[in-house]
Amino acid sequence: MSDTTSSPFRFRNAFKALRAILERRRVVGQLSSLDDYMLRDIGITRFDVASVLAEPLYRDASKRLAERADETRRAHRAISRETRAMMPPAGVTRRAA
């Protein structure tokens, strides 16, 4: 049996992993102290912060928050593309009926 798989090393690694998870959750929790404009600027909401903190510990809160921000950005870009597609080209004016 190698030294890295012995019980003390596994316990130490598990402890380090748990400490890292709790630290990331603490940092994500600090985001709730930002005002709504700052949160929106980074692409998240208070609900996003609260909901990722409500998830089980084994889910990485910082990773989940980044995924939510990414989803929000993609949705906003899609809406923007659809809106531009519905607009008449520049220089074209609509005639009144």
Side-chain angles (χ1 to χ4, degrees):
M1 182 184 263
S2 72
D3 288 336
T4 58
T5 59
S6 66
S7 185
F9 287 104
R10 279 188 286 179
F11 178 75
R12 190 178 330 162
N13 289 340
F15 182 74
K16 283 181 181 180
L18 178 61
R19 193 168 58 188
I21 288 169
L22 294 175
E23 174 64 16
R24 285 192 293 268
R25 291 177 75 80
R26 185 187 65 77
V27 170
V28 168
Q30 288 178 339
L31 289 173
S32 62
S33 68
L34 298 176
D35 64 37
D36 291 335
Y37 297 106
M38 293 177 118
L39 290 173
R40 187 175 56 202
D41 195 40
I42 58 176
I44 59 175
T45 64
R46 288 192 190 288
F47 177 78
D48 293 333
V49 174
S51 63
V52 299
L53 291 175
E55 292 184 6
L57 275 178
Y58 62 85
R59 290 194 180 141
D60 185 344
S62 58
K63 183 178 178 181
R64 290 288 298 133
L65 200 56
E67 290 169 353
R68 283 180 180 252
D70 223 20
E71 290 168 4
T72 301
R73 260 186 248 106
R74 279 194 217 116
H76 284 212
R77 286 180 184 148
I79 290 169
S80 180
R81 281 192 300 270
E82 290 173 10
T83 303
R84 281 192 306 253
M86 291 188 290
M87 295 177 68
V92 176
T93 58
R94 290 186 172 172
R95 296 180 185 250

